[in-house]
Amino acid sequence: IYANTATETGGGLRIYATDAIDAAATIGSTGFQPLAAIEGNTAAVGGGAALFGNNGANALLLLEGASASAPVVVRENFASQRSGAIDLQPTAGSVITVGGGARADLENSVLEGNAAPTAAAVYADTEFGGGFFRSGALTLKSSRIADHVSQTSANVPTDGPIIVLTERAVFSTVDSILAGNNGGPLVLADSASAIRISDALVTGNTARGGLFRFLGQVQISGEFQIDGTTIVGNTISNGPVILADDDLPLGNSIIWQPGSVTLQGDSRLVDDVLSSEIASLGSSPSI
């Protein structure tokens, strides 16, 4: 899927689910070499792909490479507003209708070199209505998010985050890498989002305003957690490695960022951490 242009959403691929019928796209191809599976597409929102769930239906994108050496790659797509690679947009419905969800699952896959003024990699939204909510969800397994740039169509750098998650959006990693991205925070999440960074390597990123920013008080169904992760060799300005306004379980990890405060926030649940700065982490003997 190469060099397509959409004036609104989904430069390469648009998945729209409605009327209680789910819509899914599964991609396992390494692309048409040397091109990636989804490359060089442009849109206002969702340069590579845009997903919409509506009226009781869910939109799903599965990127499933055969192995780590044969990944599915989404590369060098651009969005003029947000979501250079993937945009996840659920709808809430109302008191008499049901909304729909939007989900992207990546295994043995790579999001690489995509760009947008904000959410250069992924934007995941959540919508409320009629007592119901529907979430956008991103999961990574043995995958990589790398070399994204927050910038305008005129190549002017911005401080937009690389990954943006709104209330009750879901983001989880297993055995994955976040590397070489350049923008504002690497991950910006607010309030009731469920974020679990697990078994990850976070390295070589340039982040303005801190590396991870978890804003607001965690509510029912929300979670911020970092476990089994190595954070090293990033360039961080105007902020800490991690900013968390609420409890942040942080454990079994290495955070080696000399010159940066490791954790800024009121609450700490920290165990078994090796860090270049420990005063901000509390007094556990395992730190």
Side-chain angles (χ1 to χ4, degrees), residues 2 11 35 41 43 70 74 76 80 88 102 104 110 122 141-142 146 159 198 204 215 222 224 237 243 268 273:
Y2 174 64
L35 300 177
N41 304 286
V74 179
E76 295 180 3
S80 60
L88 302 170
V110 178
V122 178
K141 183 178 180 181
S142 302
D159 290 335
S198 179
L215 306 179
F224 299 147
S237 60
L243 185 148
R268 298 166 182 80
V273 171

Side-chain angles (χ1 to χ4, degrees), residues 36-234:
I38 302 176
E39 180 170 342
N41 304 286
T42 302
V45 173
L51 283 69
F52 297 85
N54 183 54
N55 196 19
N58 299 303
L60 177 62
L61 175 63
L62 302 175
L63 304 181
E64 300 179 337
S67 66
S69 60
V72 175
V73 180
V74 179
R75 178 193 297 145
E76 295 180 3
N77 302 282
F78 178 75
S80 60
Q81 295 180 17
R82 73 171 193 229
S83 311
I86 300 172
D87 190 80
L88 302 170
Q89 182 67 61
T91 59
S94 68
V95 292
I96 59 173
T97 62
V98 180
R103 182 183 185 97
D105 291 347
L106 281 61
E107 182 171 359
N108 292 325
S109 297
V110 178
L111 305 183
E112 180 179 68
N114 304 285
T118 189
V122 178
Y123 180 93
D125 202 353
T126 297
E127 295 289 344
F128 297 85
F132 299 97
F133 67 86
R134 297 289 176 163
S135 295
L138 171 69
T139 64
L140 305 179
K141 183 178 180 181
S142 302
S143 294
R144 183 162 54 97
I145 293 180
D147 302 329
H148 291 80
V149 181
S150 296
Q151 63 183 26
T152 68
S153 57
N155 298 325
V156 177
T158 74
D159 290 335
I162 302 301
I163 299 170
V164 178
L165 305 123
T166 68
E167 293 184 354
R168 288 190 168 89
V170 177
F171 176 46
S172 63
T173 74
V174 176
D175 188 28
S176 293
I177 297 172
L178 308 174
N181 302 286
N182 189 331
L186 178 64
V187 177
L188 175 66
D190 63 16
S191 196
S193 297
I195 313 298
R196 182 180 176 89
I197 310 296
S198 179
D199 302 322
L201 171 63
V202 181
T203 188
N205 300 284
T206 298
R208 296 177 286 279
L211 192 64
F212 293 97
R213 295 181 67 88
F214 303 141
L215 306 179
Q217 300 298 303
V218 173
Q219 302 172 24
I220 296 172
S221 81
E223 176 188 39
F224 299 147
Q225 184 171 357
I226 297 177
D227 182 74
T229 290
T230 298
I231 301 172
V232 62
N234 303 281

Side-chain angles (χ1 to χ4, degrees), residues 199 225-230 250-254 270-274:
D199 302 322
Q225 184 171 357
I226 297 177
D227 182 74
T229 290
T230 298
L250 170 62
N252 307 304
S253 295
I254 299 170
V270 183
D271 286 296
D272 300 312
V273 171
L274 172 65

Side-chain angles (χ1 to χ4, degrees), residues 3-19:
N4 302 285
T5 299
T7 57
E8 295 181 358
T9 59
L13 181 64
R14 186 177 190 268
I15 304 172
Y16 184 86
T18 190
D19 296 333

